[in-house]
Amino acid sequence: MSDFAAYPVQTSSPASSNGTVLPPSLPGTSLRKERGAIAAQACDTCRARKQRCDEQRPKCGTCQRFNVECHYREPQPTKKDKTLVEILDRLKVLDVLNVLENKIDHLSWRMDHLVATCHPNTNSTTTATHLAPPPPLTTSTGHSVGIHGVRPAVEHYHSSEGLSNGGPHALPNIASLTEDHYQYVSAVHQMLAWPAIQGHLATIQPKCPTRNLKSVATDGPAMALGAHLPMDHTIPISVQTGEDYNLGPVSAPISAFGLDWDIMQTLSKAYFDTISLLHPILDRHIFLTQTLPTLFKNGVDHRLQSTIAFLVFALGEVALGNYRGAPINAHGGRLSGMRGGSKSHPPGIMLFNEARKRLGFSVAETSLEMVQAYTLASTYCATCSYPMGFWKMIREASLACQSLIMINPGVLSSPQADLLRRAFWHCAVMETCLNLELGFPLTGLEKMENVVSLPDFSTSFTDYDYVSNQETQYQEHFASQIALRRLLVEFHGTLSRSPYNTTAPSTSSTPNKIRHMATDLERWRSYLPSNLQWQEDTPGAFPSSATAYDGPSIYSPVTTATATTTTNSTPAVSPMLPTPQAGTTFMSSVSPGVSSRVSMAGSGVMPQALANVTASGLRSPPMSHQQPILNSGLGPQHQPVPQPQMFTADLDAPPIRYPYAHDVQVALLRSRYYYARYLIHRPFLYKALHHPDAMMQEDAIGAAECLKASLKWPIAMSPSSLQKRFVPCPFFFTQNFFGILVLLHLVLSDKVPILTKIKDTLCGGERFELEAKKTVELYVDWIRDLKDVEPSAVWDWDVVCAMYGLERNG
């Protein structure tokens, strides 16, 4: 019944002698042995005597024996937790500062509004100086100056009415504004309704007769969800169209579903080594030591434990298909980044159908497991490009989360609290994506943000969790995503409440607010742990702490007689795969600070090479100084050493594979950062397109920042673009790439003089044009790759072909 038979099986022992399930070990990797009890905190007396403390409370054995006072110091965070603690502490500091400045920002906005009301703009063009320099930044508005300059003036709305009255989901009342004012919008389909964009699309309409380009402003959400397609884009029930498929019984042994112990273990490992690190909502230790043995012994039934297990198995099959499966299509010799299964039969569909059959038995439950089940179901829908299912499932997960907290507030202080916090913030991030891009209303989850603290990953921690976190820092990635999402919500709320007079000089508060937002966003990036940071102008580079590499860039062309690399048709490897195929280039860093390149030649184990120590734990291929760099005119002693690149815009280069979906984690964080920069500076682009005569220097700089932020998002680069099944909410990026392609077509065509001037003087001129053309290639490839499976890409592809003169079947 499962498609897993197509994949090799990793065998392992179901349980140890004491009944504890032993997860299958990483091939070729020696993990830490289970340690005995270690004193977490010795008392001062034992510390002074330098002897072991038994940690008895209120008095340890030594203090009782000597009849002295026993005092324990406050426990300090462990080394592995310090980075996460720093992120959480910085978030708290930002919250305090922002709340204190909220009153100042609100008074500033009230004053601007009062001035605009009492002194309406009667002749905006006479006072506008074309590209005039802006007044210098000062602190006269009451903003404190810190190490990063003026403190951002970002409005915060944490009250219950702030988000429901004109909050992130409130649609702007454009009818109440004059034509001189621009009302900020976040969704791409709303941006496409700009008069200048509509005029540009009108010139393309004759080349695209099958699409009504005027309807994009109103039909955008429906297009993204697939409502414009002849048939509903729904999750299939059967393997083949017209097949009469009967689901298995609700209660049955696992063998009835084509499962056994080894398959369950391997599918679980595939899930926890990849997708779970992107959405860490389950406890791996509990699942492996409690859930699996119970199912193995008693079989499955209608309860949530069985439902969650089937969802984990389905997502595990997606992970295996993503690494091992065949590409679903190919275009011009370039294989698809969607691997495993097909459009009508995605990987894991049979297992997922077993899960959703059981989901109906539990819809009235109020429990953490209910939240987890809906969240896992939404994740599966996203991996298989079912946006309607994704939206419905994530909405149900959010509502179930709210119900649990309202009915049982004590759960936030229970042993389940951290898992609930992870699910809560995952739902909040996904809801924000849907709200910003499609304008979908929020469920009310955001009103509980002050009640639900950030996750600290205080649940049970297995050796596998330790290895994966040391390899990828997935906990820090998750916390950083939450922080960035909170900034986005604040930016969105502030700009939605601030109509921008685009015909007047930049004397209103909106440009200043955008400038402060950009500073706040840069501060977020500077607060990232060193092993997550990167230089803003090099989106494809390794993190800042991973620059000590010996040799050329990973993606620099090299000549070597021994290196074995892949082609696009070679399946990738991952720690959860038992037998990598021959000729796979593999990057790993199981031991922090180690780099290696492994050439698989059909062996049944995954070797662990130790070489080229780096500070961050990222690994690059060991390359010799004797390896020449092609197309270089310099002598050997003057050969430049390019910076190492984690991502490349060359989609035909042999892809480097990172374990634990590390490249997708990094690409998501950076791409969402560039999205935020692009979004907050887009009002300047509106002004350039519609009121160029009123442009000042700071407006032009803002428009340039918007254009530069739109280039080469890492999620569209290789190797992350070759793992599209791992990308959460992929249609969010599809829509934004389409909008950027429209804007870049305007810029590169030189049809708008002000944009040409901005491109040549403020964006970098020829270099920007080269980068923009490479970006067009990346985003076009993304949409082409998904047009066969994702509803929104079907419409977008037709328009992109007409715009850029591409073959629709190419």
Side-chain angles (χ1 to χ4, degrees):
M1 183 169 297
S2 169
D3 288 344
F4 185 72
Y7 305 108
V9 176
Q10 177 172 346
T11 60
S12 58
S13 175
S16 64
S17 58
N18 61 4
T20 301
V21 174
L22 301 176
S25 61
L26 273 171
T29 304
S30 177
L31 298 181
R32 303 177 304 160
K33 295 181 178 179
E34 291 295 330
R35 299 179 298 184
I38 299 177
Q41 182 70 52
C43 71
D44 290 343
T45 302
C46 294
R47 187 186 300 274
R49 293 173 61 88
K50 296 183 179 180
Q51 69 178 43
R52 185 182 180 87
C53 182
D54 61 14
E55 299 182 87
Q56 294 184 25
R57 304 297 175 106
K59 276 191 175 185
C60 71
T62 300
C63 293
Q64 291 179 22
R65 187 164 61 254
F66 290 100
N67 195 24
V68 296
E69 183 178 354
C70 189
H71 180 263
Y72 290 93
R73 300 179 184 179
E74 288 295 325
Q76 298 298 317
T78 62
K79 182 177 180 180
K80 75 177 180 65
D81 292 332
K82 284 184 178 179
T83 306
L84 187 59
V85 170
E86 289 176 2
I87 295 176
L88 303 182
D89 288 343
R90 286 165 176 169
L91 283 175
K92 293 176 183 177
V93 172
L94 285 175
D95 281 344
V96 172
L97 292 175
N98 287 331
V99 168
L100 290 176
E101 292 176 355
N102 183 35
K103 292 183 179 180
I104 297 176
D105 296 334
H106 187 61
L107 288 175
S108 176
W109 180 86
R110 294 279 303 267
M111 182 62 69
D112 291 337
H113 181 70
L114 182 62
V115 171
T117 304
C118 297
H119 303 284
N121 178 40
T122 56
N123 189 7
S124 60
T125 57
T126 58
T127 59
T129 302
H130 186 59
L131 297 180
L137 286 174
T138 66
T139 58
S140 60
T141 57
H143 301 291
S144 60
V145 178
I147 60 174
H148 295 282
V150 180
R151 174 72 190 140
V154 182
E155 296 183 14
H156 289 248
Y157 297 88
H158 292 296
S159 64
S160 59
E161 65 177 2
L163 288 168
S164 59
N165 184 16
H169 64 278
L171 295 177
N173 185 13
I174 300 177
S176 64
L177 304 174
T178 66
E179 61 181 8
D180 294 341
H181 287 76
Y182 163 64
Q183 178 62 55
Y184 155 86
V185 294
S186 60
V188 170
H189 68 272
Q190 293 173 314
M191 183 201 76
L192 297 179
W194 291 357
I197 301 295
Q198 279 292 304
H200 185 60
L201 292 178
T203 63
I204 302 170
Q205 181 69 76
K207 303 176 184 178
C208 190
T210 60
R211 304 296 181 188
N212 181 9
L213 303 187
K214 293 182 179 180
S215 66
V216 64
T218 55
D219 298 341
M223 294 175 183
L225 296 178
H228 64 292
L229 298 178
M231 299 180 63
D232 291 338
H233 190 73
T234 57
I235 303 172
I237 294 292
S238 59
V239 178
Q240 297 179 357
T241 304
E243 180 180 345
D244 186 14
Y245 172 72
N246 294 320
L247 291 170
V250 174
S251 299
I254 60 170
S255 58
F257 306 94
L259 300 171
D260 58 26
W261 177 258
D262 293 326
I263 291 177
M264 290 197 303
Q265 284 276 30
T266 307
L267 290 175
S268 301
K269 183 168 173 54
Y271 163 75
F272 282 106
D273 277 351
T274 54
I275 296 174
S276 180
L277 303 180
L278 297 165
H279 321 287
I281 62 170
L282 289 185
D283 186 304
R284 181 174 191 157
H285 179 72
I286 291 177
F287 188 85
L288 293 178
T289 60
Q290 298 179 21
T291 303
L292 286 190
T294 300
L295 296 179
F296 184 71
K297 179 180 179 181
N298 303 325
V300 298
D301 54 25
H302 66 282
R303 289 176 294 184
L304 280 172
Q305 186 182 50
S306 297
T307 304
I308 291 175
F310 273 119
L311 290 168
V312 168
F313 299 154
L315 289 169
E317 200 166 304
V318 169
L320 289 172
N322 182 75
Y323 278 108
R324 290 284 193 156
I328 63 172
N329 54 40
H331 302 286
R334 182 178 295 166
L335 300 181
S336 172
M338 290 287 286
R339 293 176 176 267
S342 62
K343 177 182 179 180
S344 60
H345 184 210
I349 185 61
M350 294 298 123
L351 296 167
F352 176 75
N353 283 335
E354 292 294 341
R356 63 171 173 165
K357 177 178 67 176
R358 287 162 176 78
L359 199 58
F361 289 101
S362 308
V363 290
E365 287 193 25
T366 303
S367 64
L368 173 63
E369 291 75 14
M370 189 76 256
V371 179
Q372 292 172 331
Y374 277 127
T375 304
L376 291 170
S378 71
T379 302
Y380 180 84
C381 291
T383 65
C384 300
S385 297
Y386 295 116
M388 182 71 79
F390 167 78
W391 171 48
K392 290 183 176 180
M393 291 295 102
I394 202 66
R395 181 176 179 274
E396 293 299 327
S398 298
L399 293 174
C401 193
Q402 295 176 63
S403 300
L404 177 59
I405 296 172
M406 293 175 63
I407 294 174
N408 183 19
V411 71
L412 293 175
S413 57
S414 70
Q416 294 182 323
D418 192 62
L419 288 173
L420 178 60
R421 290 194 291 264
R422 296 189 216 172
F424 175 93
W425 287 108
H426 168 77
C427 291
V429 171
M430 294 298 103
E431 273 201 16
T432 300
C433 290
L434 289 167
N435 173 248
L436 291 179
E437 187 49 49
L438 300 179
F440 286 173
L442 302 174
T443 62
L445 192 70
E446 75 286 348
K447 297 179 182 179
M448 293 185 172
E449 289 185 21
N450 290 335
V451 178
V452 182
S453 59
L454 297 174
D456 56 11
F457 292 87
S458 57
T459 56
S460 55
F461 205 70
T462 68
D463 279 340
Y464 278 84
D465 295 320
Y466 175 82
V467 170
S468 58
N469 192 50
Q470 290 295 103
E471 177 81 23
T472 68
Q473 296 82 41
Y474 74 89
Q475 297 177 4
E476 288 78 9
H477 274 282
F478 189 62
S480 301
Q481 293 273 16
I482 295 171
L484 182 57
R485 174 259 170 196
R486 294 172 72 171
L487 283 178
L488 266 173
V489 169
E490 292 160 2
F491 296 165
H492 182 76
T494 300
L495 292 174
S496 296
R497 295 175 177 86
S498 305
Y500 181 21
N501 190 341
T502 56
T503 61
S506 298
T507 55
S508 68
S509 62
T510 299
N512 289 332
K513 289 180 180 179
I514 294 176
R515 187 163 56 247
H516 294 323
M517 290 175 192
T519 305
D520 217 2
L521 194 58
E522 178 58 30
R523 180 177 282 110
W524 169 88
R525 192 170 64 86
S526 69
Y527 277 173
L528 291 174
S530 60
N531 47 16
L532 270 64
Q533 290 187 14
W534 77 99
Q535 295 297 321
E536 183 175 351
D537 58 349
T538 55
F542 273 99
S544 299
S545 61
T547 57
Y549 286 88
D550 185 16
S553 164
I554 287 174
Y555 286 110
S556 295
V558 296
T559 301
T560 173
T562 58
T564 304
T565 57
T566 59
T567 63
N568 284 344
S569 61
T570 303
V573 298
S574 167
M576 81 273 180
L577 296 178
T579 310
Q581 294 189 2
T584 301
T585 300
F586 172 64
M587 288 195 64
S588 175
S589 57
V590 173
S591 299
V594 179
S595 61
S596 69
R597 184 176 189 165
V598 181
S599 177
M600 299 301 174
S603 62
V605 296
M606 188 177 297
Q608 181 184 14
L610 307 178
N612 296 341
V613 177
T614 64
S616 71
L618 294 172
R619 295 183 174 185
S620 68
M623 297 180 180
S624 170
H625 285 296
Q626 283 72 38
Q627 294 172 337
I629 302 176
L630 301 184
N631 302 323
S632 174
L634 301 178
Q637 67 273 26
H638 300 293
Q639 289 286 0
V641 180
Q643 289 296 319
Q645 295 292 302
M646 189 174 188
F647 305 96
T648 177
D650 184 0
L651 299 180
D652 295 318
I656 301 294
R657 297 303 190 187
Y658 299 85
Y660 305 108
H662 188 199
D663 53 324
V664 179
Q665 294 183 54
V666 175
L668 281 173
L669 189 67
R670 296 185 187 182
S671 297
R672 285 173 173 164
Y673 166 81
Y674 290 116
Y675 164 76
R677 286 193 63 85
Y678 161 73
L679 191 64
I680 63 175
H681 287 100
R682 210 161 60 187
F684 295 115
L685 208 55
Y686 176 92
K687 185 172 183 177
L689 288 171
H690 298 87
H691 304 288
D693 293 337
M695 290 286 287
M696 297 180 67
Q697 181 73 12
E698 66 175 0
D699 299 322
I701 293 174
E705 288 298 318
C706 176
L707 294 175
K708 289 188 289 185
S710 70
L711 302 182
K712 295 172 69 172
W713 292 3
I715 199 67
M717 300 168 71
S718 178
S720 54
S721 65
L722 301 178
Q723 303 194 72
K724 291 186 174 70
R725 290 205 185 273
F726 286 167
V727 178
C729 202
F731 67 86
F732 172 83
F733 290 105
T734 302
Q735 291 297 92
N736 277 281
F737 290 160
F738 174 71
I740 292 173
L741 286 173
V742 174
L743 293 176
L744 289 181
H745 191 259
L746 273 172
V747 175
L748 296 176
S749 63
D750 291 330
K751 293 182 178 179
V752 182
I754 186 65
L755 292 185
T756 301
K757 186 171 185 179
I758 291 173
K759 176 192 67 173
D760 295 338
T761 60
L762 297 175
C763 290
E766 183 178 352
R767 178 183 175 185
F768 172 85
E769 191 161 341
L770 291 174
E771 293 290 288
K773 290 179 179 178
K774 196 58 168 177
T775 300
V776 169
E777 180 183 342
L778 289 173
Y779 297 173
V780 165
D781 185 83
W782 177 283
I783 296 175
R784 178 197 292 117
D785 197 9
L786 291 176
K787 67 181 177 64
D788 295 328
V789 292
E790 186 178 294
S792 62
V794 178
W795 192 93
D796 296 343
W797 177 245
D798 286 344
V799 181
V800 167
C801 288
M803 190 180 306
Y804 285 92
L806 304 174
E807 292 291 334
R808 284 180 170 81
N809 297 326

